[in-house]
Amino acid sequence: MVLQKLNSQLIQKYSLPKIKFYGIQDIDKLPQLKTLSEIDRLAMKAVAMVLPFRTNNYVVESLIDWNNIPEDPIFRLTFPQAEMLSYEDLNILIYLIKNNASPDKINHLINQIRYRLNPHPSGQKEYNIPIFDNEIVPGVQHKYPETVLIFPASGQVCHAYCTFCFRWPQFVGIEDLKFATRESGRFQDYLHKNRGITDVLITGGDPLVMSAKQLSRYIEPLLEPEFDHIQTIRIGTKSVAYWPYRFVTDTDADDLLRLFERVVRAGKHLAIMGHYSHWQELETEISQKAIRRIRMTGAEIRTQSPLLRYINDSPEVWSKMWQMQVNLGCIPYYCFVERNTGSHHYFSLPLVRTWEIFREAFQKVSGLGRTVRGPVMSSLPGKIVIDGVTEIRGEKIFVLSFLQGRDPNWCKQPFFAQYNPNATWLSDLKPAFGEKKFFFEDRLKELLC
Ligand SMILES: *Cc1c(COP(=O)(O)O)cnc(C)c1O
Ligand code: SF4
């Protein structure tokens, strides 16, 4: 309490950083955007009407190199790009805006465009929601036996939005927050009853937009003896990159770190799953300080990101990022394939290119950086890794395997798909060697019934 008071006094007295959000209404106001032409800004606004746009003062002032726009990766990571919509959609939308079309007409088009952007990939909504006592458990996803995902209701936004985000439908409000849970009671019952669950992953949006107090309502109960089977608590967050002050100067930064300490002291493994897309996010002093402070609590930081065209599509970016993470004591964990939703056409690369970049980056770092796994497609049947491209008896193929499967039996069993230089997602792949289906397909149908 005393510390909290002192902290808020300090903020006033020394004007410690306070988050300031920027959105569509700031596109014409931000001085940094003045170098863009009017038509570029109009296009940016048009895209921001369809897909979520939010950034903040730290991203704008400390992460983006404004001498390097529009190429700057962090600029592309948070500011809408004209090419994120199809040429036709963008032009019709701009035409309607310029000619003062009625809001109804504009909204109608916006919604049409959104539904063309595949808002519900991978059957997330339909298939992973657990039933307990004949009722669904709100805000929980349970896909793999040992791990449960929790979506706290007040953690369903982020300190800034990534332009590629696969959770975009929830930020523009076309997906109701069926995913989110307000009360912790029902998921606690569910966890209590399912002794096979060892891992809880609190995710969002970004759960660390919540206050330490709110977050503790989800976490503290799990530290009680009746939840002995829960050994690991993970928090998926982008705040280490987008708002590192969360761990250093925010009014409840210290409370948050004390909460982390309590989790560790209770004998659990606490993993902060830090979402980092580029090494630029690790360069600022404050971001490194945040990492040091988190690690002092005994929590681990594991890192993950998708591989994205225009943002991190070179081996050097990845190897430098992993190396910096290892130096700072973080553990590289996942490198994802960009998902088939939203502006997938803009950010995605052919699977073969993604694999080549991953492989080349992997070769450049020592074993401590090779804890990273990828490139991974998080898809309906499970987490599928592209292990490589090779040739067997004259047929060029992709070698694939599961890191996680709806049926754990599928894991680490190599399987093969016809080589296709243009494939960007699992749905583009066909079984190799003239097979009619992949080995997991029959069982998958059974499991999804
Ligand atoms: C990735 C993922 C997990 C965690 O898998 P790990 O292999 O333990 O990292 C759990 N649930 C879902 C739905 C996931 O996508
Ligand atoms: S931080 Fe994560 S959930 Fe939030 S916009 Fe970025 S990718 Fe999406």
Side-chain angles (χ1 to χ4, degrees), residues 180-194:
T181 181
R182 223 159 266 292
E183 24 78 77
S184 36
R186 271 192 69 73
F187 88 75
Q188 277 175 34
D189 290 346
Y190 182 73
L191 288 182
H192 194 245
K193 200 67 174 276
N194 287 272

Side-chain angles (χ1 to χ4, degrees), residues 43 50 56 69 101 107 111 169 177 191 197 214 227 232 246 250 256 262 328 335 347 410 414 420 442:
V50 178
N56 69 49
I69 60 162
N107 280 331
N111 281 323
L177 286 177
L191 288 182
I197 298 170
Q214 280 175 307
F227 290 102
T232 301
R246 183 72 196 89
D250 273 9
L256 182 65
R262 284 200 294 284
L328 292 162
C335 168
F347 292 112
W410 299 342
N420 170 353
D442 288 338

Side-chain angles (χ1 to χ4, degrees), residues 3-163:
L3 207 60
Q4 219 166 63
K5 230 191 207 143
L6 189 67
N7 251 336
S8 57
Q9 281 167 2
L10 280 174
I11 286 193
Q12 279 160 16
K13 194 158 170 209
Y14 297 104
S15 59
L16 291 179
K18 231 179 150 222
I19 196 157
K20 228 175 4 200
F21 294 117
Y22 300 123
I24 189 166
Q25 69 285 354
D26 300 301
I27 290 175
D28 287 325
K29 290 189 218 145
L30 269 174
Q32 288 90 342
L33 293 180
K34 290 282 191 263
T35 55
L36 297 180
S37 68
E38 197 153 327
I39 179 70
D40 283 346
R41 282 205 301 271
L42 184 58
M44 193 179 266
K45 278 186 280 187
V47 178
M49 290 169 88
V50 178
L51 293 161
F53 167 48
R54 169 190 251 189
T55 187
N56 69 49
N57 47 331
Y58 170 72
V59 173
V60 167
E61 286 155 26
S62 303
L63 291 187
I64 295 174
D65 174 3
W66 289 97
N67 294 319
N68 184 31
I69 60 162
E71 282 78 22
D72 180 79
I74 312 298
F75 177 71
R76 292 222 147 117
L77 184 63
T78 57
F79 280 88
Q81 314 290 307
E83 299 84 357
M84 285 166 57
L85 299 184
S86 76
Y87 186 74
E88 300 81 53
D89 283 342
L90 183 68
N91 276 298
I92 301 170
L93 188 52
I94 288 180
Y95 176 85
L96 290 185
I97 298 169
K98 273 188 152 169
N99 289 284
N100 294 315
S102 71
D104 271 1
K105 213 167 182 174
I106 294 182
N107 280 331
H108 183 73
L109 176 65
I110 288 174
N111 281 323
Q112 274 184 338
I113 300 174
R114 284 177 181 163
Y115 279 93
R116 278 201 287 276
L117 295 173
N118 187 21
H120 305 300
S122 293
Q124 295 227 33
K125 254 179 110 161
E126 304 93 289
Y127 299 119
N128 304 327
I129 300 172
I131 308 279
F132 179 63
D133 277 352
N134 295 320
E135 267 182 71
I136 68 161
V137 189
V140 171
Q141 274 187 47
H142 194 185
K143 183 169 178 179
Y144 309 124
E146 70 285 353
T147 306
V148 150
L149 269 53
I150 295 173
F151 297 76
S154 22
Q156 298 311 306
V157 290
C158 306
H159 291 100
Y161 290 140
C162 308
T163 38

Side-chain angles (χ1 to χ4, degrees), residues 243-311:
W243 189 248
Y245 299 104
R246 183 72 196 89
F247 309 92
V248 186
T249 55
D250 273 9
T251 45
D252 66 345
D254 289 328
D255 297 338
L256 182 65
L257 298 181
R258 295 298 88 79
L259 173 64
F260 290 179
E261 279 173 1
R262 284 200 294 284
V263 176
V264 174
R265 238 184 290 126
K268 314 271 184 200
H269 180 108
L270 176 64
I272 305 304
M273 309 302 291
H275 173 185
Y276 289 103
S277 314
H278 197 282
W279 50 259
Q280 264 171 244
E281 296 166 322
L282 290 154
E283 275 202 314
T284 63
E285 208 173 299
I286 188 75
S287 74
Q288 301 190 0
K289 193 160 183 183
I291 291 173
R292 277 199 301 276
R293 296 195 94 213
I294 294 168
R295 294 199 60 240
M296 293 229 287
T297 68
E300 297 288 354
I301 303 174
R302 291 174 197 270
T303 61
Q304 55 190 31
S305 170
L307 202 153
L308 305 150
R309 190 150 63 126
Y310 304 121
I311 292 176

